[in-house]
Amino acid sequence: DAGVIQSPRHEVTEMGQEVTLRCKPISGHNSLFWYRQTMMRGLELLIYFNNNVPIDDSGMPEDRFSAKMPNASFSTLKIQPSEPRDSAVYFCASVGGAGTEAFFGQGTRLTVV
Amino acid sequence: SQQGEEDPQALSIQEGENATMNCSYKTSINNLQWYRQNSGRGLVHLILIRSNEREKHSGRLRVTLDTSKKSSSLLITASRAADTASYFCATDYGNNRLAFGKGNQVVVIP
């Protein structure tokens, strides 16, 4: 397997624009997580899905953030409208079973100017 | 959510020396995991220790867990230049959700 695949790797956008980040989890993994990493706050869990269903979105900072998982092989994280404080590295991770390790993608570095 | 906290936060050692990092957490956990992150890259899982385990080894890595003190340590023996990275502890507080510490930057000088 190629691991967790995220796209794009880098995204630069202007404030107010919509941003969509994409993730393909490892085949067969039934849990998918979105994390955000910043210098100030470190790594934070935004939302996670189990069997394509959003279970806990309490980490989503504002209503401008939304995430979907239409099928087992694809998830999106959308920010609309984007703001400079959303600049961060966004990671997607998938887990194959309860109490096992997470496999992280390479991340999307988002810069909002 | 809880947060792991590593100590110390920056470590510079000579190749061949051992590196030790500590992590503390606040509430009960299912397991504790350590990850490595090279600059500009994703996180790579190193080792997982369950709440009923006290020590675990994987190659040059040794992890301990003390649930009574809510702390863990990661030891890297015989360090190599390639071990230069940031190291994070993460606690699984349920349903594979991870709470990460701020990370330790380790620099191994050749």
Side-chain angles (χ1 to χ4, degrees):
Chain A
D1 201 313
V4 176
I5 300 173
Q6 292 187 245
S7 64
R9 288 294 310 276
H10 302 273
E11 176 82 32
V12 180
T13 190
E14 291 185 347
M15 183 173 64
Q17 296 297 306
E18 177 180 298
V19 175
T20 299
L21 311 181
R22 296 172 175 79
C23 174
K24 181 181 186 325
I26 291 174
S27 178
H29 282 192
N30 57 4
S31 297
L32 182 142
F33 301 78
W34 283 99
Y35 290 88
R36 179 172 68 175
Q37 184 177 34
T38 61
M39 289 295 293
M40 290 294 294
R41 299 175 66 87
L43 279 149
E44 306 171 279
L45 175 63
L46 300 178
I47 185 171
Y48 88 95
F49 296 82
N50 197 44
N51 293 322
N52 313 338
V53 176
I55 303 299
D56 181 0
D57 65 355
S58 59
M60 297 286 258
E62 299 171 41
D63 290 346
R64 299 183 295 106
F65 286 70
S66 63
K68 294 182 179 179
M69 192 164 185
N71 57 62
S73 59
F74 184 64
S75 176
T76 59
L77 178 68
K78 184 179 295 186
I79 309 172
Q80 164 65 16
S82 58
E83 297 183 4
R85 58 196 167 115
D86 301 332
S87 297
V89 181
Y90 290 81
F91 288 103
C92 174
S94 69
V95 177
T100 61
E101 70 268 32
F103 292 82
F104 282 77
Q106 292 297 301
T108 295
R109 181 173 295 277
L110 173 66
T111 303
V112 183
V113 297
Chain B
S1 63
Q2 59 181 295
Q3 197 81 15
E5 298 178 1
E6 292 93 351
D7 173 50
Q9 295 188 330
L11 188 62
S12 184
I13 57 174
Q14 294 288 330
E15 199 165 30
E17 293 181 341
N18 296 341
T20 300
M21 289 154 270
N22 298 306
C23 169
S24 61
Y25 56 93
K26 295 181 174 64
T27 63
S28 62
I29 61 172
N30 294 326
N31 61 67
L32 186 142
Q33 303 175 34
W34 286 89
Y35 288 82
R36 184 186 71 223
Q37 184 179 35
N38 291 92
S39 181
R41 306 295 296 273
L43 287 92
V44 174
H45 179 263
L46 295 176
I47 196 165
L48 180 153
I49 186 166
R50 303 193 189 285
S51 59
N52 61 353
E53 296 176 312
R54 293 295 166 260
E55 187 171 314
K56 201 161 184 179
H57 296 255
S58 176
R60 293 183 296 113
L61 305 179
R62 173 178 170 258
V63 169
T64 63
L65 179 65
D66 187 336
T67 52
S68 66
K69 295 181 179 177
K70 291 186 168 55
S71 67
S72 173
S73 68
L74 171 67
L75 168 68
I76 305 173
T77 60
S79 62
R80 305 168 182 169
D83 295 329
T84 294
S86 293
Y87 292 82
F88 294 86
C89 76
T91 50
D92 178 345
Y93 58 99
N95 296 319
N96 296 318
R97 293 171 296 175
L98 298 176
F100 284 87
K102 291 285 192 284
N104 274 277
Q105 270 199 298
V106 175
V107 175
V108 181
I109 303 166

